[in-house]
Amino acid sequence: MSSKLERLSSSLQNILGAKVRSVVVDRGEVTLEVAAADYLAAAQMLRDHRDLRFEELIDLTGLDYSAYGNGAWTGKRFAVAVHLLSITHNWRIRLRAFADDDAFPVFESLVGVWAGVNWYEREAFDLYGIMFAGHPDLRRILTDYGFVGHPFRKDFPVSGYVEMRYDPEQGRVVYQPVTIEPRENTPRIVREENYGDVGNG
Amino acid sequence: MAEIRNYTINFGPQHPSAHGVLRLVLELDGEVVVRADPHIGLLHRGTEKLAETRTWVQSVPYMDRLDYVSMMCNEHAYCMAIERLLGLEVPIRAQYIRVMFDEITRILNHLLGIGTHALDIGAMTMVLYTFREREDLMDAYEAVSGARMHAAYYRPGGVYRDLPDRMPQYAVNKFKNANTVRELNENRQGSLLDFLEDFTQRFGGYCDDYETLLTDNRIWKQRTVGIGVVTPEQAKAWGFTGPMLRGSGVAWDLRKKQPYEVYDRVDFDIPIGKNGDCYDRYLCRMEEMRQSNRIVKQCIDWLRKNPGPVIADNYKVAPPPRERMKGNMEELIHHFKLFTEGMHVPSGEVYAAIEHPKGEFGVYAVSDGANKPYRLKLRAPGFAHLAAMDEIARGHMIADVVAIIGTMDVVFGEIDR
């Protein structure tokens, strides 16, 4: 571990204190995990503390862990991962929090901390159905107007539920249940650890 | 007095200056924009979901189709993410080839960006010139990968094959006679590197031509100076990267600050703007093209002198050479396993970012040890830029919205994913 990452992870422990669930340094990247209740407060401190200064939010994404390791996952289902960048200190961090309720995942919105998070939260809502309390305009963003469901959840089929075609009799576009069969050309396989002995695996 | 009401218009999705499929709902007070609400997702193909159902290598061609004007840069970020997960070392020659093609891609992207930006706000000529130069660079893409745009040239562990020794030639047809063809083929007699060297020598002059057309052009300045001003604080809060951030005067470039591949071995400068308006961003892009040209020259020099392997020799990840596969049982098995089951990437997560021509393009890959990604999140620079459309465009005239879309250099392949 380089000295810079060591400095970052120790100052994270010092500054955030009890809010830290874990700090993991892996492959040159720092992952900070906090509880959903501390998520907004931790974000605020990450931006404002002068030893951290994460002034840019690079990315926010939802995650659905329900099929992780072909069903070996026992923890909570939904998480958000936020990638932050500090221009002042030239370092990055990944902030992750798991939602407490699998049936209704909800987080506090970060819009007040980084204005640019607006669309990322809309995207996470659209694709995963994760709610962001305090978001000013939580509409769908990438999917069609009137889309039903959250397509990136692992239980949503890749081919979807409905398809669209032009109906010459009605003279308009209509929705109907999908007619194509989902197929998998290459099966998904999880091998044992160190399978094939590639690199640092 | 008559009652004055704001009215709402739809800009796009079929508008030529919407750069693809942007539906922009504009609320206007006369000609002044009160609110701009971009509706995106008309080109949403679910690339990230599709990638979860394909093996790691099968998703490389999807990356070309994200930002379809800077194809190889997208592949680069994706391959880098896989290599970091694997802890795989890329041969030095492959790193130079990647840097060279990243910079070629940067020139390609900025040529299109500046050309169409000028076209949108009334300078018809620019796009004709910039597309002429794009043609040469597309030929370089074709020579190296067989495809003019969707190259799929970068692979985890290196690049697909070494640079070719000869360039494809034009042939006589009913539109081109022997004389024309001879002229066209004149700089294609040597290898790809000879062709590119010839291009880099010409390109400085082309940039001067573009500057004569635009930099001091009165109309161009009237349309861009003071339009779409972004302060450094705003740029950071909105998550801007690339020329959109540097145009506001923030000296931030991943190639310098967090160097990847061999960017720490090549010599180049980073231009930054002062006022954060459309004009400054245009100047930044112009200078970036000249700097990219410099980098390409240095890479050509190095690549001429240093032959070597261009892909890792770990056959669990990269396919063995064909000759060996044909004559050797073990290599045959590796080849078969690699193209049926695919490689297994150790579990973990990684975020790999590169300085894409438009900003920071990042790939967040989560693996659970399977032969397919568990989650692949693509961080597109244009997404963050377009998200700030409402705040940037507010208070501007409706014609300036076109200038702002142009300066953001949006491409919907990457925004909608």
Side-chain angles (χ1 to χ4, degrees), chain B residues 295-313:
Chain B
I295 301 176
V296 174
K297 273 185 196 161
Q298 294 167 48
C299 290
I300 292 172
D301 281 346
W302 192 94
L303 287 167
R304 275 191 204 287
K305 290 177 202 136
N306 299 282
V310 293
I311 192 155
D313 58 358

Side-chain angles (χ1 to χ4, degrees), chain A residues 28-73:
Chain A
E29 293 178 20
V30 181
T31 308
L32 166 70
E33 205 178 304
V34 296
D38 296 331
Y39 171 68
L40 180 63
Q44 189 80 45
M45 284 163 101
L46 286 170
R47 188 193 68 175
D48 292 336
H49 197 281
R50 69 186 158 77
D51 290 343
L52 299 171
R53 277 259 180 276
F54 289 98
E55 61 268 88
E56 251 196 68
L57 180 135
I58 288 293
D59 188 29
L60 180 144
T61 172
L63 289 155
D64 174 4
Y65 277 98
S66 58
Y68 192 85
N70 285 355
W73 188 259

Side-chain angles (χ1 to χ4, degrees), chain A residues 58 64 69 96 186 188 191, chain B residues 341 349 368 372 374 379:
Chain A
I58 288 293
D64 174 4
R96 184 176 25 228
T186 317
R188 178 186 166 82
R191 299 273 185 188
Chain B
E341 188 178 316
E349 54 189 339
D368 60 350
K372 300 172 178 183
Y374 184 74
R379 193 271 174 192

